[in-house]
Structure formats: C-alpha cells, structure tokens
Amino acid sequence: MSLTPEQALEQAALAGIHRLQIPTPFAVGRVNCYLIEDEPLTLVDTGPNSGKALDELGTQLGQRGHSIDDLELIVVTHQHIDHLGLVEIVAEHSGAEVAALGVAAERLANFDADAEADDRFAVELMLRNGIPEEVTAALRSVSRSFRGWGSHVAVTRPLADGEVVEFRDRGLETLHRPGHSPSDTLFWDEPRRILIAADHLLPHISSNPLISRPLDGSSRRTQALVTYIESMRRTREMPAEIVLPGHGDPVVDHVALIDERLIKHERRKEKICKLIAERPRTGYELAQAIWGNVAVTQAFLTLSEVIGHTDLLVNEGRVREADDGTVIRYESV
Ligand SMILES: [Zn+2]
C-alpha cells in the first residue's frame, strides 16, 4: 500500500523536510522549495528572482519559526530560473553555503553570458529545424523578458555525483540524473526512502526534456530525451517511497509513474515514425502535425519534444537526418 500524497507530505515533515510553495510568473505555477530542519538548516531551491517570491519565502520560513538569515545551506537542484533565481540574494542575506553539482558550477556562475548563449543556441536549432525566422525572433524576446527572474549563482560547495551531503540527522546522496536539464540533481535519503527529485519527476505534467547545450560548453546539442529515459530507468530501480517533486504534490508510486511516462514516449515515437514514413518532414512540420498551432506559440518546447523522439528513432536506425544545407528533414531509412 502506498501512501497518499497528503500522508507523504506529513511523513516528510516528520523527517524534518517541509515543502514551501513559492510563486513564479511562469505557466507551471508555484515551485516547490524544501526546508530541511537539520544541521545545517537547509533550503533546497529558492524560487525565482522576484520580490514576491522573496516575501513569500520569508513568510513561509517564518511560519516554521525561521528567517532567511537563519539558513546555513542552499542546495540547487538544476539550472532553471524558476528554481534558482533567488539563490544569490538568499545566500547574501544569510551567508549560507551554496551547494550544487560541481560540473554545473561554471554555468551557474556565468548566468548572463550563459542565457545569451542558450538563446543563440535555441534560435539556431529552431531555424535548422524549419521554424520560421519571425517565430524564433518572437521567442527570443520572450526569453529575454524572462531573464530577470534568473540570476547568477556562486557555488561554494561543488558536489560530485554520488557524494553524500552530511547533516546531523541524515545524509543525502547526490545523484546526477540529467534529461529535463543537463544539471538535474536528485538527493536521496536511503534509510527514509525519500527522494528529493525536483523536475526529474513531476506528478501531473510530463517533464519536458529540453534540448540544451551540454554542461561542458561544447557546441553539439544534448540528446535530451534519450538521456532522460536512461535517467528515469535508473530512478525506477530505486526503492523510493516518497518522491518530492519541484512542482505539485509528492509522487508516491514512482515506478507506476515512470512506466506511464515510458509508454507515452514509446507511443509518441511510433506516431512520429509514421508521420516520417508518409513523407520526409522537418521538426517543425512534425510538431505542427501533432500539436497544430501550439507548435508555433510553444515552438521550442514542442520542437524539443519532437527531436527527443527522432533521436530515439535515429539511434534505432529507423530514421535519418537529411540536411540540405539550410534545414534538416527526417526521412525513413
Ligand atoms: Zn526545471
């Protein structure tokens, strides 16, 4: 018998882990940050860089008898701005250490240059996959307008994959599980079977495996969905009882949820394979065939989803990329 999400929250709270729900300006709604009442007093993620988020964080910490100044450690789960925009401000106020995956530290430190490079990368990828120039320009300005909710992060405590972060009452094992983003990091309390998973696993929405620049700064793109599926399979093997996600309620049956996700990706892959068998298509044409107008308004998201699946098909030898020098079309082998 698995717990209900409410019972999972209660059980996590008994283990000293409390969910704080911080507002964001994004469609995803509030972001979950987790306060760990232990030594050091720890906050996992902070929410975006806004006065509203800072106010709420202060209020919700206050409800538990703490203030921002009391925090001793901030843990960053991944590179997305809804999770880390406030880290620098909170660290400055509190003097807390900032722990994050070491291989992501340079990216986190160079937020502005990095966001600009991300935008250029996204525009190039969209143009190569047949998305019209005016759509890419519009998305680029949307992305610029969001940048203020982010911030650079100075990591003072770089973590290695597998490293255990020691507390008075627990140890949390650092697990690098990329896919949703290249820096996705999980924190595992094995004796309590509690996994802090951020956006690696979300209860109601499938995590988008966004095509990204690799953490090592090389110019090739990630095979985000291929990587994400590998990461999910590893998580599936874990004896977790409670998975604490970055948005929404706890996941209490992660095996069933992961199986559901894997089946969905399998179906979508076959659907895309059929569309390509009808005739060669660009990533944009595939996205339009599946999502219609959403492929325009959410062009990067839907393109990431399409390319994730064509990567699977290319790796299986069923589809290949035909590059005419301007755009890439996918065709059957
Ligand atoms: Zn995210």
Side-chain angles (χ1 to χ4, degrees), residues 152-172:
H152 72 281
V153 172
V155 177
T156 60
R157 184 140 176 231
L159 302 173
D161 185 25
E163 180 175 343
V164 176
V165 185
E166 295 290 353
F167 298 79
R168 184 194 59 210
D169 297 339
R170 79 199 73 217
L172 292 178

Side-chain angles (χ1 to χ4, degrees), residues 5-220:
E6 295 70 30
Q7 288 168 331
L9 275 180
E10 278 167 30
Q11 196 159 312
L14 287 173
I17 306 177
H18 304 275
R19 178 178 65 171
L20 312 181
Q21 295 185 286
I22 305 301
T24 81
F26 307 108
V28 69
R30 286 180 182 249
V31 60
N32 294 338
C33 306
Y34 293 95
L35 173 70
I36 305 179
E37 288 182 325
D38 201 336
E39 281 172 26
L41 186 68
T42 298
L43 184 65
V44 179
D45 286 342
T46 58
N49 186 0
S50 78
K52 198 167 174 226
L54 186 63
D55 279 352
E56 284 258 5
L57 182 62
T59 304
Q60 293 184 40
L61 286 170
Q63 286 162 356
R64 300 220 45 87
H66 308 289
S67 72
I68 285 171
D69 290 347
D70 298 336
L71 293 168
E72 296 167 309
L73 177 67
I74 301 163
V75 174
V76 177
T77 62
H78 67 298
Q79 66 206 66
H80 289 159
I81 59 177
D82 51 334
H83 296 260
L84 59 66
L86 268 184
V87 169
E88 206 58 20
I89 289 172
V90 173
E92 261 167 39
H93 273 270
S94 59
E97 290 246 51
V98 178
L101 197 67
V103 290
E106 206 182 307
R107 295 284 300 266
L108 299 178
N110 297 316
F111 173 73
D112 284 320
D114 204 68
E116 192 60 36
D118 276 345
D119 282 357
R120 277 200 305 272
F121 166 86
V123 166
E124 169 72 6
L125 186 79
M126 288 190 283
L127 291 173
R128 291 280 285 147
N129 284 278
I131 294 179
E133 209 161 334
E134 62 274 17
V135 176
T136 68
L139 285 176
R140 188 169 183 159
S141 64
V142 171
S143 169
R144 281 223 178 90
S145 72
F146 281 152
R147 214 174 280 170
W149 277 280
S151 166
H152 72 281
V153 172
V155 177
T156 60
R157 184 140 176 231
L159 302 173
D161 185 25
E163 180 175 343
V164 176
V165 185
E166 295 290 353
F167 298 79
R168 184 194 59 210
D169 297 339
R170 79 199 73 217
L172 292 178
E173 188 184 353
T174 307
L175 302 171
H176 186 200
R177 293 284 161 81
H180 164 68
S181 86
S183 56
D184 294 348
T185 313
L186 281 49
F187 295 92
W188 174 224
D189 183 336
E190 186 164 18
R192 294 182 181 85
R193 301 192 174 204
I194 297 177
L195 180 65
I196 300 174
D199 292 0
H200 173 64
L201 215 52
L202 298 174
H204 301 303
I205 40 168
S206 176
S207 275
N208 298 295
L210 293 169
I211 303 291
S212 310
R213 292 158 52 236
L215 289 177
D216 66 11
S218 58
S219 56
R220 70 200 154 79

